[in-house]
Amino acid sequence: MTRILLVEDDDYLASALVLALERKKYLVDLAKTGAQALESIFSDRYDAVLLDLGLPVIDGIEILDELRKSNEELPVIIITARDRVEDKIKGLDKGASDYLVKPFDFGELEARLRAALRKSNFKNSTQMKFASLSLDTNNGQLKLANESMELTPKEVVVLKTLMTRAGKVVSKRQLMDQIPDWLIESSENAVEIVVHRLRKKLEASEVNINTVRGFGYILELRQQ
Ligand code: CA
């Protein structure tokens, strides 16, 4: 199943698009605000995002900006009424995969979506390794010696950072900096929760995330 996040505040257009996409067998989640969009992006896994730029409070460009800080691969197609050239350039500069100006033909949107998905499937996965752990940072697949599981985007960011500096202490502040600040209400707590979940997932492996009191965390081989 291909999962699409549609970010659109116009009810009429949103329901028409959801219907048309579902008819094409896509699994669609709808976000009507920037906050909802970011919450979904950072807690769920999507194959592509269709992003309206003109949203209340948090603009589509800001969403794209936050998204690209932690995920360079997710295809994002901007759909917007803004036909000004500078908006188009800004969107592409911020890492949009494609750009469609409203009103557009659904057939064209779908063709561009297919093209963006094809391109992203062709990209090589990014594998990181530490001891028996192997993490694919593109799709969040974590392989231990004998099992394989899927991590949430936040877990990927935290584990990736710890793996990059395996054997060295990483502070909570450094981990917090990897996840968009304002998404997290009590940041230190949020880091602790993610680390707690990762520890559970690493239980069957020879690797553990140890706490270095007053400093942060360290990814290292379990003491025998
Ligand atoms: Ca709008």
Side-chain angles (χ1 to χ4, degrees), residues 34 36 46 64 94 98 109 111 114 121-123 146-148 163 170 177-178 184 192 196 198 215 223:
Q36 262 177 33
Y46 294 97
L64 185 56
K94 294 277 182 197
D98 209 342
L109 171 68
R114 278 201 308 268
N121 285 339
F122 275 125
K123 278 193 185 149
N146 299 316
E147 57 180 315
S148 175
M163 284 175 88
V170 180
D177 286 345
Q178 304 297 315
I184 297 165
E192 282 161 20
H196 175 75
L198 277 172
F215 290 96
Q223 306 291 329

Side-chain angles (χ1 to χ4, degrees), residues 130-144:
F130 177 68
S132 71
L133 303 192
S134 168
L135 172 67
D136 185 331
T137 57
N138 270 354
N139 62 14
Q141 283 294 324
L142 175 68
K143 287 196 184 98
L144 310 180

Side-chain angles (χ1 to χ4, degrees), residues 8-10 52 54-55 102:
E8 173 60 73
D9 63 329
D10 180 305
D52 177 29
L55 295 164
K102 293 174 193 169

Side-chain angles (χ1 to χ4, degrees), residues 7-10 13 32 52-56 79-82 102:
V7 187
E8 173 60 73
D9 63 329
D10 180 305
L13 180 60
K32 291 187 174 183
D52 177 29
L53 288 190
L55 295 164
I79 46 172
T80 180
R82 297 180 197 173
K102 293 174 193 169

